[in-house]
Amino acid sequence: EVEKMSKSKYNVVNPDDICNDYGADTLRLYEMFLGPLEQAKPWNTAGITGVSGFLKKLWRLYFDDNGLIVTNDEPTPEMYKSLHKTIKKVTEDIENFSFNTSVSQFMICVNELSQLKCNHRAILEPLAVLISPYAPHIAEELWSQLGHQGSIATIDFPVYEEKYLVESEKEYPVSFNGKMRFTIKLPLDLTKDQIQEIVLADERTIKQLDGRIPNKIIIVPGKVINLVG
């Protein structure tokens, strides 16, 4: 049964206890993550640990057991894409007071950057600024550890740049008689003839055909490649 907190029902959760156990940033993020501001939401402390785990994962982008691991290396296009996708989403969410979906996007971004093994300053500094309105305490600490003076709250909010989300390549599924056998990454500006030439010359295609000549080659640029017969 979902019911409102009430002293008479002895179901009140003291926020000071949550802050002592998990920190104020975890409490802030969890309250925003529960759902839209205008809706009543059931309080379940089981979800607190998930938000706490997210903040620990965020921290590990910047530090390992030996200290700061942030480098000045140039990020990959995938890293820029993850960051600017998040900047776009969070900027829109702040304007619409949709804080719960911002927290979700932060979690997605941190997971993506972790998989990409991102420890690049050009990505992680804007990320710290981006999350600072949501988790100000950890953001201030990150900013200081990154070597900056003054508060992160005085730094201009990151600006979304569309160029980082423009797709220049497509990972095509290559099928034989409707069954996908492998994928191949190709520029999106190739013509059908160019795509066909590259695919037919691929060693994996040659192996699949085993000397046979396909009766038909179906190519939909930006979508699929299918060899029939």
Side-chain angles (χ1 to χ4, degrees), residues 19-218:
C19 289
N20 289 336
D21 292 339
Y22 297 99
D25 282 345
T26 298
L27 177 61
R28 285 170 61 94
L29 282 174
Y30 179 62
E31 287 187 322
M32 287 185 275
F33 187 52
L34 283 173
L37 290 176
E38 68 276 7
Q39 294 181 9
K41 299 169 283 287
W43 178 272
N44 183 355
T45 52
I48 287 282
T49 55
V51 176
S52 177
F54 156 70
L55 288 175
K56 290 175 182 177
K57 195 167 188 177
L58 171 71
W59 184 264
R60 288 196 294 272
L61 289 175
Y62 299 78
F63 298 91
D64 64 10
D65 294 339
N66 298 315
L68 190 70
I69 57 173
V70 177
T71 72
N72 292 319
D73 297 342
E74 177 63 22
T76 65
E78 290 81 6
M79 294 174 189
Y80 277 119
K81 180 179 179 181
S82 182
L83 172 66
H84 282 268
K85 182 171 58 176
T86 303
I87 294 173
K88 182 176 187 292
K89 177 65 175 165
V90 172
T91 301
E92 293 170 351
D93 285 345
I94 288 175
E95 293 173 354
N96 296 322
F97 298 97
S98 301
F99 304 126
N100 58 310
T101 52
S102 282
V103 178
S104 297
Q105 182 58 43
F106 282 130
M107 292 177 173
I108 292 170
C109 180
V110 168
N111 282 335
E112 290 177 346
L113 294 179
S114 297
Q115 291 172 2
L116 293 169
K117 302 187 185 313
C118 176
N119 55 4
H120 301 63
R121 183 178 294 271
I123 300 296
L124 297 183
E125 282 195 351
L127 179 61
V129 178
L130 197 63
I131 204 170
S132 62
Y134 295 80
H137 301 87
I138 192 172
E140 288 287 0
E141 181 64 20
L142 290 173
W143 195 246
S144 175
Q145 293 290 337
L146 287 168
H148 298 287
Q149 301 294 323
S151 172
I152 195 171
T154 65
I155 305 302
D156 290 341
F157 205 67
V159 177
Y160 160 65
E161 294 185 47
E162 187 178 1
K163 66 180 181 180
Y164 292 114
L165 298 190
V166 175
E167 298 286 352
S168 60
E169 291 183 320
K170 166 70 179 180
E171 191 163 3
Y172 286 89
V174 181
S175 301
F176 295 81
N177 296 317
K179 293 183 179 180
M180 200 273 282
R181 297 301 184 186
F182 63 87
T183 61
I184 184 169
K185 187 172 286 188
L186 298 172
L188 281 170
D189 57 357
L190 294 180
T191 64
K192 284 186 179 182
D193 290 341
Q194 289 172 322
I195 294 172
Q196 178 174 315
E197 182 180 349
I198 293 171
V199 170
L200 289 176
D202 192 283
E203 291 182 0
R204 294 167 295 180
T205 301
I206 295 170
K207 183 178 179 180
Q208 284 290 331
L209 291 176
D210 193 24
R212 300 186 304 275
I213 298 175
N215 297 326
K216 188 176 183 181
I217 301 176
I218 302 169

Side-chain angles (χ1 to χ4, degrees), residues 4-16:
K4 291 184 178 180
M5 288 185 190
S6 169
K7 289 183 180 179
S8 64
K9 295 178 180 177
Y10 301 99
N11 64 351
V12 173
V13 177
N14 187 340
D16 290 341

